[in-house]
Amino acid sequence: AQTVTQSQPEMSVQEAETVTLSCTYDTSESNYYLFWYKQPPSRQMILVIRQEAYKQQNATENRFSVNFQKAAKSFSLKISDSQLGDTAMYFCAFMGNNAGNMLTFGGGTRLMVKP
Amino acid sequence: GAVVSQHPSRVICKSGTSVKIECRSLDFQATTMFWYRQFPKQSLMLMATSNEGSKATYEQGVEKDKFLINHASLTLSTLTVTSAHPEDSSFYICSARETGGVHYTFGSGTRLTVV
């Protein structure tokens, strides 16, 4: 079974600065997808970024980028120029080709952006 | 973009009654939908995978007779909490994956309070 671990329960960052959220996972599959989701106080889950394991290039979406290290099974999220609206819970998630293509979530990191 | 509508957003019910939560994909067909439960400040816990036209697959520890799932069409899955107890109070979230796709869209969640 896959597991996803987020080792930072809470983090804070000053507005306009950069923060990196950590995520590691364990799987025996060679092809899979990794995701970062944001859950603001409204509790709506929002996709931040997605990475396909067979792609070596790290995914980027505006101020959000990932550092995908397949051999180390690491998938960190970097948020540049942090904004107050980035305050939220962030969940790392894994989807393999087995187990019905379900998402496996990490425990989450609560990020607070301070003015 | 893909939209999943989840209703109701909040519901209060009395112990012993049943509550139905609907999850509807508005602009795409979803062979598979997923139901999660989320406790405060915790991650999403998968309860069951809902498959159109067949029985749902429940995760270990989830009572299938208590949490009834019906996925009668490619755009609608329902979760019925039967004989609700106060310990069933929680936040329930559904998600849908477009048939053949890798993108998951989440509903806005339902806050269930059993009194």
Side-chain angles (χ1 to χ4, degrees):
Chain A
Q2 291 84 9
T3 58
V4 179
T5 303
Q6 293 178 247
S7 59
Q8 306 150 314
E10 292 187 1
M11 293 192 72
S12 64
V13 64
Q14 291 295 133
E15 193 176 8
E17 294 189 345
T18 295
V19 65
T20 298
L21 309 183
S22 301
C23 173
T24 58
Y25 59 94
D26 189 22
T27 184
S28 58
E29 297 187 51
S30 59
N31 194 21
Y32 47 85
Y33 293 84
L34 294 162
F35 307 83
W36 277 98
Y37 285 93
K38 170 184 178 181
Q39 188 181 41
S42 68
R43 304 191 78 170
Q44 173 72 57
M45 294 288 284
I46 301 166
L47 176 66
V48 175
I49 201 165
R50 182 181 79 192
Q51 175 79 43
E52 296 161 76
Y54 65 87
K55 289 189 176 180
Q56 292 186 338
Q57 186 172 8
N58 289 323
T60 63
E61 285 289 344
N62 300 315
R63 299 182 295 107
F64 299 89
S65 62
V66 298
N67 183 0
F68 174 47
Q69 301 291 327
K70 191 173 184 179
K73 296 180 181 174
S74 170
F75 183 61
S76 61
L77 173 70
K78 185 171 81 172
I79 305 174
S80 305
D81 186 25
S82 296
Q83 300 176 359
L84 296 178
D86 295 333
T87 293
M89 281 289 291
Y90 286 82
F91 294 100
C92 178
F94 171 100
M95 186 194 84
N97 289 317
N98 301 327
N101 295 128
M102 68 180 195
L103 283 174
T104 300
F105 286 94
T109 297
R110 183 174 300 278
L111 176 67
M112 173 74 73
V113 180
K114 298 180 179 179
Chain B
V3 177
V4 169
S5 174
Q6 184 174 343
H7 290 282
S9 58
R10 291 175 181 265
V11 59
I12 301 173
C13 70
K14 292 184 177 180
S15 289
T17 62
S18 296
V19 174
K20 180 184 284 189
I21 303 169
E22 287 192 353
C23 181
R24 198 179 293 270
S25 57
L26 298 187
D27 48 3
F28 65 98
Q29 293 185 333
T31 305
T32 305
M33 292 187 180
F34 304 88
W35 287 96
Y36 298 87
R37 183 172 182 176
Q38 186 179 30
F39 291 104
K41 298 187 178 182
Q42 293 189 22
S43 187
L44 282 70
M45 180 187 74
L46 179 66
M47 299 175 65
T49 301
S50 168
N51 300 295
E52 186 269 336
S54 64
K55 291 183 179 181
T57 304
Y58 290 83
E59 295 300 301
Q60 192 173 8
V62 178
E63 298 177 60
K64 62 181 181 181
D65 294 330
K66 179 168 187 63
F67 298 100
L68 300 179
I69 290 172
N70 187 333
H71 194 155
S73 77
L74 286 171
T75 59
L76 175 65
S77 176
T78 60
L79 168 67
T80 302
V81 183
T82 62
S83 187
H85 290 161
E87 55 264 33
D88 298 327
S89 298
S90 191
F91 192 70
Y92 294 87
I93 306 175
C94 72
S95 76
R97 183 171 61 88
E98 188 169 3
T99 302
V102 296
H103 180 62
Y104 294 78
T105 303
F106 287 81
S108 54
T110 297
R111 183 180 302 280
L112 170 64
T113 303
V114 184
V115 297

